[in-house]
Amino acid sequence: MEGGTASSVTIIILLPIFLPYPATPITQLPTIRLLHTVKFPLSDQLLMESSPPSSSPSSSPSMDRVNFRTQVLSRHLHHHPQTTDLLRTAPCLNYSPPELSNPPPNFDTKSLRKLLDGTSVEEIDYIFNLMIQSTLFCPRERGGKVFIAPDFNQSMEQQREMTVKRIEYLRDRGVFEGWFDKKGPEGDLWRFALAESVSVYDHSLGIKLGVHFFLWGGAIRFMGTKRHHDKWYKPTETYEVKGCFAMTELGHGSNVRGIETITRYDASTGEFIINTPCESAQKYWIGGAGNHATHTVVFSQLEINGVNEGVHAFIAQIRDENGNICPNVRIADCGHKIGLNGVDNGRIWFDNLRIPRENLLNSVADVSPDGQYLTEIKDPDQRFAAFLAPLTSGRVTIAASSMNTTKIGLAIAIRYSLSRRAFSIKPNEPEVLLLDYPSHQRRLLPLLAKTYALSFASNYLKMIYVNRTPQTIKTVHVVSSALKAVLTWHCMRTLQECREACGGQGIKTENHVGHLKSEYDVQLTFEGDNNVLMQQISKALLAEFLAAKKRNKPIRGLGLEHLNKPAPIIPTQLTSSTLRTTQFQTDIFCLRERDLLQRFVAEVSQLQAQGESKEHIFTVTYQTAEDLGRAFSDRLILQTYLDVEATVPAGSLKSVLGLMRSMYTTIVMEEDASFLRYGYLSTNNAAVVRKEVLNLCSELRPHALSLVSSLGIPDAFLAPIAFNWVEANAWSSI
Amino acid sequence: MAPTNQVLIKESSNVRTIILNRTKQLNALSLEMISRLLEVFHAYEEDPNVKLIIMKGEGRAFCAGGDVAAVVNDINKGSWKLGANFFSKEFTLNYLMATYTKPQVSLLKGIVMGGGAGVSIHGRFRVVTDNTVFAMPETALGLFPDVGASYYLSRLPGFFGEYVGLTGARLDGAEMLACGLATHFVPLEKLSLLEDALCKANSGDPKIINSIINEFSNTNPKLKEKSQYFRLKTIDRCFSRRTVEQIISALVSYKKEKEADKNMDDWISWTIQSLKKASPTSLKISLRSIREGRLQGVGQCLIREYRMVCSVMQGEYSKDFFEGCRALLLDKDKNPKWNPSKLEFVSKDMVDRYFAALDDKDWEDLKLPARSNLPVYAISKL
């Protein structure tokens, strides 16, 4: 990360030297006396480049320390009033890059990024390269750096056209070649890397591609059979066929089985007839349907010989090659949205549309030419589950791309907080860097640590998805539900905090942090409403627990093995050092999950004993279910974090990872009321926890810059306020 | 040590004209020259009497590159670490220039290649002329575009940087101006008048310097009819591909498409040929270097390139650099025998190693001097 400029600077030598961090409590700031001033050439080696070597270990730490202290000093003094002559204008604020006031990384930032992006680093960087080098991605020079971002000032229609042009540009570079051919875990990871990296540029681009390749393409691949693969793979890969995915209706979203679109079979012509029987059955929010899609997968009830066989999927053409809407299909636009206006969401009505019998996606059930319903899976519940299972990939990409968005927000807000100052603590003293206020640290640094923890969890989710087997489908379902909800909620919360932490600058679209909120808000809803997903976790845990009890065997899977052991004991008097042990952290997270599960089981069985129906019970036990869902997720996230940590050799990287883990666990204990509510923490211990958050913040403060640099988001995808915001706003730049 | 006569310095009040003076070797940079330049640049930055630096070459060329033949000679006699010392100094000089607080005007007459580009392109003003010839020919030598080229090539329009870096294509002055490697084009006959005017103005203000150079400039030199710059669309289409193999196959299928078009064939055949002649290892590490460089700052680029060049000299994975120097500079048979001999024999794993820290206890990453100044123009000039 580079940037920054300064003219010649007068350095005033001051004593005593003080450091801006670890967060010196405001009251303890030493007094500063002016001794004398000297002219200090800017080229002096005491000041370091704003793009320090990321991975070279210092050869002489003590000398570095001396240099660094001097840098800090001079950094502080850039803004010191140089004269008391009131008639002269006060010296202007110069932008000073965060790299000047922060120590070089004490760990290898490349290794840390590798823990985040794994084997996909090169794929991701390649897509970044493609986007940075094309004018289609709207490069703009601000403050001496080039940034790329969509022009959100364009009309909705223009934004949609740009999205398509960008897809065609990527296609022409061969980016999607082999989409359906690349097999195995590597193939899946490659597809994920592609989807995630385009979303770093623009959520609309990610979604438009995601709908076409993961939803339409995924439906063909997983719900279809060879006849569909042979026909649709090639034109889908080349984007000649533009696919969409018509599942949600005006009247039904998360409850897919309640949809009202109905399809019947006409044996005399060998065709299915798709119909929208009422207004609430219109297909709604169908990404791609508004302007561009030529084909769709239609989800519909299938009625054969008067019997409803449940929800099935069909392929229907909705536009011809010239983009004209097909007969017996009506399409309307969903209109302007709070975000994602580069995606053409539409509504579709089918007026007894006839499609060939072969267009039924027949992986789990088929209809013979003479109109017999054929299936291997007799139980409709199981059939439906098997049918939808492969589409979990949507949740995996949503979880992963929400982490990228979070990274963008934090990199911008933290870099800004390391170059923006506000208020002097004493008269004539320089103003204080935002991130040197403990309160500002408390706002941003826990979110940064948590983002690392959740990113590792997102990688774990990817790995269990790509290595899935029929035996692990349930785990993938539960983990993807939990993490999709937790990660997207974290994303929105972080963006809001970053927006506020950037003050007024956070409001500007070009600075991303504010605008991304509306672009990403929909994540909380699509591919399963977060609250609905969270409830499914508790149901699944309950089922596992009861099944094990019934079999009279130890519980296994979903990381629940700890339930077979005696309940962990939490020390009555917590200390700072206890709080940082993995033993304690694991114990208290397991205790919470175990206790909440037992409470949930008790609550449910009590209601069952009263003769309540299962459905009713789940609607009234939602409070415990919610707490349990969170307890499960937090314990899972801690576990994946520990697994990642275990792969790192002892050294500076491992210690900073340990610090972030303690930050993650401590902040969860501080923020989630269940720890106090159910007594896992005494009020005294809760106070110790709260105090520890402060300590952890000041210990993480020196690493803040290196930790955001390791996130791997290239400068071009960040924002002007992350770099030379003075220059970016200068009159000369207008 | 007596000052070398390989670098001459002319003083005219606050202007210092640095003249590369090793004409027989087309001013190829020796260790002696690099050391002297480092010394001088450090001194001038702190000397309030110096406001402007002019760089030029004595004789026909500006500078034909680093003196790699001498480096190879040193390595053969002693250890590759002698070579490491050379590159460490050269890259440090490149870095100093890229982050320099005072303007540097380079007068690029004749050949500007490899290391010659390194001591000019990073500066504020790059003035080209009628006979300028620029190239980064390292892949033909078993090396890769270094001296911070992964920074400046990656910032050329579209994927022109990949094209220039992988093929070693030669650019003339007009092409350099068009792609941004040069800031001004001044006709040959006006070059010495420009130099006099700059000395006379005696100013370090970039705006004043810019307007003086503009007075002598031809703002719109004509690209020659067959300029490769007109092929930008094709270059973008092919050189944006993910791997070297894909780049070549994109070029080959493009050539097939255009079989009928006689004009096209020359250039496309030449491009394919030059990729086929280059060291396969060099091509792969060069492409990756440019792609990584696009996402990095100039300091990070030089640190990475230093790792790469040390791996090249260490010769653990490939000795192509020595073979290239033998075939092109020493024996001059122009027939290097690359090993690995084909792109498909250069695995991802092998490429990865050039980007990792060296497994050698005495070796360290390049430690660049601490710099306060990364002026806006150090980034935006390209």
Side-chain angles (χ1 to χ4, degrees):
Chain A
M1 307 213 176
E2 286 174 277
T5 178
S7 47
S8 119
V9 175
T10 301
I11 292 300
I12 306 147
I13 301 294
L14 302 172
L15 281 177
I17 288 172
F18 74 90
L19 291 170
Y21 57 76
T24 320
I26 290 167
T27 49
Q28 290 172 19
L29 279 178
T31 36
I32 296 176
R33 279 182 302 127
L34 273 177
L35 289 190
H36 60 273
T37 64
V38 290
K39 196 75 180 169
F40 203 73
L42 257 182
S43 57
D44 197 285
Q45 304 218 350
L46 293 171
L47 302 178
M48 66 174 196
E49 189 219 341
S50 60
S51 176
S54 59
S55 51
S56 55
S58 310
S59 54
S60 74
S62 62
M63 200 51 214
D64 283 358
R65 198 66 200 160
V66 169
N67 284 349
F68 174 58
R69 288 162 79 95
T70 322
Q71 288 159 23
V72 166
L73 236 192
S74 58
R75 174 68 192 81
H76 261 260
L77 299 167
H78 272 240
H79 313 300
H80 201 278
Q82 292 169 17
T83 170
T84 48
D85 182 352
L86 295 174
L87 292 176
R88 285 174 58 183
T89 22
C92 296
L93 289 180
N94 275 325
Y95 170 77
S96 176
E99 283 81 358
L100 290 188
S101 55
N102 282 270
N106 82 336
F107 57 86
D108 183 6
T109 53
K110 268 191 168 172
S111 305
L112 183 51
R113 183 182 173 205
K114 200 133 200 282
L115 292 180
L116 292 173
D117 288 334
T119 50
S120 301
V121 169
E122 263 190 87
E123 288 301 333
I124 294 169
D125 284 354
Y126 171 58
I127 304 294
F128 288 163
N129 264 269
L130 285 181
M131 297 196 286
I132 290 171
Q133 287 309 98
S134 165
T135 50
L136 281 174
F137 291 80
C138 310
R140 264 165 288 195
E141 205 233 280
R142 306 279 280 115
K145 286 185 85 79
V146 175
F147 298 97
I148 60 169
D151 180 358
F152 291 109
N153 204 25
Q154 285 185 327
S155 72
M156 179 179 86
E157 293 300 331
Q158 287 170 321
Q159 290 185 46
R160 291 173 175 186
E161 290 319 306
M162 285 310 292
T163 309
V164 172
K165 282 195 180 135
R166 289 172 190 138
I167 292 176
E168 287 169 349
Y169 164 82
L170 294 171
R171 174 201 61 193
D172 292 345
R173 265 76 198 152
V175 166
F176 311 122
E177 276 168 24
W179 184 266
F180 293 101
D181 309 329
K182 298 199 182 176
K183 299 273 187 284
E186 283 95 55
D188 279 329
L189 289 174
W190 171 74
R191 283 182 281 270
F192 285 145
L194 256 177
E196 281 167 48
S197 40
V198 295
S199 293
V200 171
Y201 173 72
D202 174 29
H203 198 201
S204 288
L205 181 59
I207 292 304
K208 184 103 178 155
L209 274 171
V211 168
H212 174 74
F213 280 111
F214 282 103
L215 294 181
W216 157 265
I220 302 285
R221 181 205 288 264
F222 297 117
M223 300 177 168
T225 51
K226 186 165 183 300
R227 67 178 186 228
H228 305 109
H229 302 166
D230 293 346
K231 185 165 179 186
W232 302 105
Y233 275 3
K234 202 69 220 169
T236 297
E237 189 180 292
T238 57
Y239 208 51
E240 280 162 65
V241 157
K242 296 176 181 67
C244 63
F245 189 81
M247 183 185 257
T248 299
E249 296 176 356
L250 178 59
H252 291 87
S254 289
N255 180 16
V256 179
R257 297 181 77 176
I259 59 171
E260 297 169 291
T261 302
I262 183 127
T263 299
R264 298 186 179 87
Y265 182 65
D266 180 354
S268 65
T269 60
E271 288 171 319
F272 287 109
I273 307 164
I274 305 175
N275 194 39
T276 304
C278 51
E279 285 300 356
S280 61
Q282 64 180 277
K283 293 295 177 186
Y284 215 100
W285 294 127
I286 311 309
N291 295 79
H292 305 116
T294 58
H295 292 73
T296 185
V297 173
V298 187
F299 287 82
S300 161
Q301 305 291 346
L302 172 62
E303 193 185 297
I304 296 287
N305 303 322
V307 179
N308 185 353
E309 300 288 357
V311 175
H312 289 69
F314 305 84
I315 293 172
Q317 183 164 1
I318 54 173
R319 285 191 178 83
D320 65 18
E321 57 276 16
N322 301 318
N324 302 312
I325 296 169
C326 295
N328 298 72
V329 175
R330 283 175 287 147
I331 296 178
D333 207 288
C334 288
H336 194 266
K337 304 183 291 280
I338 60 166
L340 271 185
N341 282 303
V343 177
D344 51 327
N345 290 88
R347 304 182 277 151
I348 314 176
W349 293 257
F350 299 98
D351 302 324
N352 291 317
L353 175 72
R354 286 176 169 266
I355 55 163
R357 187 185 65 90
E358 292 74 24
N359 283 15
L360 169 67
L361 294 172
N362 59 341
S363 67
V364 297
D366 208 347
V367 172
S368 67
D370 63 345
Q372 297 307 307
Y373 185 73
L374 311 165
T375 181
E376 293 287 305
I377 310 172
K378 297 294 173 214
D379 177 35
D381 289 350
Q382 278 181 15
R383 191 162 66 225
F384 186 71
F387 182 57
L388 286 187
L391 295 180
T392 326
S393 66
R395 280 185 212 146
V396 181
T397 40
I398 290 168
S401 78
S402 76
M403 282 305 97
N404 284 330
T405 312
T406 313
K407 292 175 198 167
I408 295 171
L410 283 169
I412 293 169
I414 289 178
R415 286 189 62 88
Y416 185 58
S417 72
L418 289 169
S419 68
R420 178 67 149 86
R421 292 164 180 271
F423 299 106
S424 302
I425 286 166
K426 289 193 173 165
N428 297 325
E429 269 184 15
E431 291 181 283
V432 176
L433 272 181
L434 296 185
L435 204 62
D436 285 333
Y437 286 103
S439 58
H440 211 79
Q441 294 170 5
R442 172 62 186 83
R443 288 166 69 185
L444 295 175
L445 299 182
L447 294 173
L448 178 62
K450 207 165 171 181
T451 301
Y452 271 96
L454 301 191
S455 298
F456 294 151
S458 160
N459 286 346
Y460 165 74
L461 170 60
K462 264 187 231 168
M463 293 320 288
I464 61 169
Y465 175 81
V466 305
N467 294 310
R468 68 195 177 281
T469 64
Q471 289 76 43
T472 62
I473 287 287
K474 193 188 281 169
T475 309
V476 176
H477 174 73
V478 175
V479 173
S480 67
S481 302
L483 293 184
K484 186 266 182 181
V486 171
L487 271 60
T488 55
W489 268 327
H490 172 69
C491 173
M492 288 307 286
R493 180 189 161 192
T494 303
L495 289 175
Q496 180 64 31
E497 197 63 68
C498 290
R499 203 302 286 152
E500 294 176 45
C502 293
Q505 288 297 328
I507 303 292
K508 290 186 78 168
T509 306
E510 70 171 13
N511 290 330
H512 295 331
V513 286
H515 182 253
L516 283 173
K517 286 189 298 169
S518 52
E519 287 293 317
Y520 278 87
D521 201 332
V522 68
Q523 310 173 99
L524 313 191
T525 298
F526 63 16
E527 299 266 336
D529 170 84
N530 280 5
N531 289 290
V532 174
L533 291 177
M534 286 306 273
Q535 284 176 16
Q536 295 191 11
I537 303 168
S538 300
K539 278 191 210 172
L541 296 183
L542 179 74
E544 288 297 305
F545 181 84
L546 295 177
K549 209 171 148 191
K550 206 169 159 191
R551 289 196 310 266
N552 204 14
K553 289 227 170 106
I555 190 162
R556 292 186 60 187
L558 293 172
L560 296 175
E561 290 79 2
H562 67 90
L563 295 174
N564 303 317
K565 290 191 254 171
I569 312 283
I570 303 302
T572 43
Q573 188 59 57
L574 287 178
T575 62
S576 164
S577 56
T578 322
L579 280 172
R580 298 187 187 205
T581 62
T582 54
Q583 183 67 51
F584 165 75
Q585 292 162 357
T586 315
D587 280 354
I588 194 153
F589 277 37
C590 286
L591 178 70
R592 168 173 167 235
E593 184 182 24
R594 167 193 204 104
D595 180 67
L596 282 165
L597 180 55
Q598 280 160 359
R599 283 171 191 271
F600 190 56
V601 171
E603 222 174 302
V604 170
S605 45
Q606 196 188 350
L607 288 165
Q608 261 173 337
Q610 292 167 13
E612 298 286 359
S613 77
K614 223 166 127 190
E615 288 71 24
H616 175 75
I617 292 173
F618 286 129
T619 60
V620 294
T621 54
Y622 72 94
Q623 284 183 319
T624 318
E626 239 175 65
D627 283 346
L628 175 57
R630 287 197 176 268
F632 167 80
S633 312
D634 292 336
R635 195 263 309 144
L636 172 80
I637 292 160
L638 173 60
Q639 192 54 52
T640 62
Y641 197 106
L642 288 168
D643 291 345
V644 170
E645 235 181 303
T647 65
V648 178
S652 51
L653 178 55
K654 204 181 182 86
S655 4
V656 84
L657 282 170
L659 201 55
M660 286 202 289
R661 174 188 16 89
S662 292
M663 177 65 103
Y664 168 70
T665 50
T666 312
I667 209 74
V668 166
M669 287 186 275
E670 196 212 13
E671 290 179 350
D672 192 306
S674 69
F675 287 89
L676 270 172
R677 184 183 298 138
Y678 302 111
Y680 316 133
L681 287 177
S682 65
T683 47
N684 279 344
N685 280 346
V688 176
V689 164
R690 192 165 170 79
K691 199 159 168 238
E692 189 63 7
V693 172
L694 249 160
N695 296 337
L696 286 162
C697 280
S698 71
E699 282 174 55
L700 263 184
R701 164 65 182 88
H703 301 293
L705 181 64
S706 320
L707 288 172
V708 295
S709 304
S710 307
L711 293 172
I713 308 289
D715 297 1
F717 295 84
L718 300 181
I721 42 163
F723 300 94
N724 192 341
W725 43 269
V726 177
E727 181 74 24
N729 286 289
W731 178 252
S732 60
S733 73
I734 291 169
Chain B
M1 188 178 83
T4 170
N5 65 0
Q6 295 179 6
V7 175
L8 305 175
I9 292 164
K10 225 171 63 189
E11 300 194 2
S12 150
S13 46
N14 299 126
V15 181
R16 299 290 175 275
T17 305
I18 301 175
I19 306 158
L20 305 174
N21 180 39
R22 200 173 170 231
T23 46
K24 267 192 196 152
Q25 288 85 1
L26 298 173
N27 300 330
L29 299 171
S30 61
L31 182 59
E32 205 175 312
M33 291 163 87
I34 287 171
S35 307
R36 176 70 181 144
L37 288 171
L38 255 180
E39 195 180 289
V40 167
F41 267 81
H42 271 307
Y44 288 169
E45 191 157 56
E46 296 185 20
D47 182 349
N49 292 320
V50 177
K51 292 181 183 165
L52 167 67
I53 293 172
I54 298 176
M55 277 279 274
K56 62 177 202 171
E58 187 64 42
R60 293 185 294 130
F62 173 77
C63 171
D67 191 352
V68 284
V71 172
V72 168
N73 218 354
D74 277 354
I75 297 174
N76 286 336
K77 274 191 289 186
S79 148
W80 61 270
K81 288 186 185 147
L82 292 169
N85 178 44
F86 176 90
F87 285 106
S88 136
K89 286 201 165 157
E90 186 180 23
F91 291 4
T92 305
L93 174 65
N94 299 144
Y95 185 65
L96 201 56
M97 290 172 160
T99 56
Y100 214 59
T101 46
K102 298 177 184 180
Q104 171 187 349
V105 177
S106 301
L107 304 175
L108 303 175
K109 210 168 65 176
I111 292 172
V112 187
M113 289 187 187
V119 294
S120 55
I121 304 298
H122 292 293
R124 177 72 180 94
F125 298 102
R126 292 90 62 191
V127 179
V128 291
T129 184
D130 302 283
N131 67 354
T132 309
V133 184
F134 169 96
M136 296 301 293
E138 288 86 354
T139 57
L141 211 63
L143 199 60
F144 63 93
D146 57 348
V147 296
S150 63
Y151 179 78
Y152 60 74
L153 288 181
S154 64
R155 278 151 180 84
L156 300 185
F159 296 83
F160 198 63
E162 272 92 338
Y163 165 71
V164 171
L166 295 185
T167 63
R170 294 180 169 207
L171 308 183
D172 63 23
E175 289 168 331
M176 287 178 73
L177 185 70
C179 75
L181 281 168
T183 55
H184 297 81
F185 185 103
V186 172
L188 198 51
E189 67 273 13
K190 293 190 188 163
L191 219 48
S192 57
L193 297 176
L194 166 64
E195 198 182 329
D196 295 344
L198 287 171
C199 291
K200 211 171 133 205
N202 201 29
S203 166
D205 180 342
K207 280 187 196 127
I208 296 172
I209 296 166
N210 190 36
S211 68
I212 294 171
I213 308 176
N214 273 337
E215 275 171 43
F216 295 88
S217 289
N218 172 356
T219 49
N220 192 16
K222 239 182 130 104
L223 287 165
K224 57 182 184 275
E225 198 189 328
K226 285 203 169 184
S227 169
Q228 50 213 332
Y229 205 68
F230 294 129
R231 319 284 199 194
L232 209 51
K233 239 176 122 177
T234 312
I235 288 171
D236 267 4
R237 193 161 266 260
C238 300
F239 282 85
S240 60
R241 293 295 172 134
R242 170 82 175 81
T243 62
V244 179
E245 289 92 330
Q246 286 169 1
I247 289 173
I248 294 178
S249 88
L251 287 163
V252 169
S253 59
Y254 183 77
K255 187 185 171 194
K256 271 192 200 137
E257 246 174 69
K258 297 277 164 179
E259 213 108 58
D261 186 348
K262 281 276 177 271
N263 293 334
M264 210 44 148
D265 278 358
D266 273 2
W267 172 78
I268 196 103
S269 305
W270 175 87
T271 304
I272 295 169
Q273 264 319 303
S274 58
L275 292 177
K276 293 209 160 147
K277 276 202 311 221
S279 148
T281 308
S282 291
L283 288 175
K284 286 204 171 177
I285 62 173
S286 302
L287 181 62
R288 169 134 164 221
S289 173
I290 293 170
R291 297 266 160 96
E292 283 197 15
R294 193 165 274 136
L295 308 177
Q296 292 175 323
V298 66
Q300 292 166 309
C301 284
L302 287 161
I303 290 166
R304 174 177 36 72
E305 289 177 9
Y306 182 71
R307 282 184 174 192
M308 295 169 68
V309 83
C310 287
S311 293
V312 165
M313 290 185 299
Q314 197 187 29
E316 204 139 294
Y317 319 116
S318 161
K319 297 194 173 8
D320 280 2
F321 176 46
F322 303 97
E323 174 60 12
C325 288
R326 182 203 63 75
L328 272 75
L329 303 176
L330 305 171
D331 298 351
K332 303 198 174 166
D333 59 25
K334 293 188 178 166
N335 188 20
K337 297 272 177 275
W338 304 128
N339 182 24
S341 60
K342 286 192 170 137
L343 286 167
E344 62 254 43
F345 300 144
V346 185
S347 68
K348 184 182 174 301
D349 218 41
M350 289 164 74
V351 174
D352 281 347
R353 294 192 196 169
Y354 285 87
F355 294 80
L358 268 73
D359 187 14
D360 183 306
K361 62 175 170 29
D362 299 329
W363 182 88
E364 295 200 321
D365 266 318
L366 179 62
K367 296 212 85 175
L368 292 170
R371 304 289 294 166
S372 71
N373 186 57
L374 269 180
V376 167
Y377 57 76
I379 303 149
S380 64
K381 64 196 171 191
L382 284 166

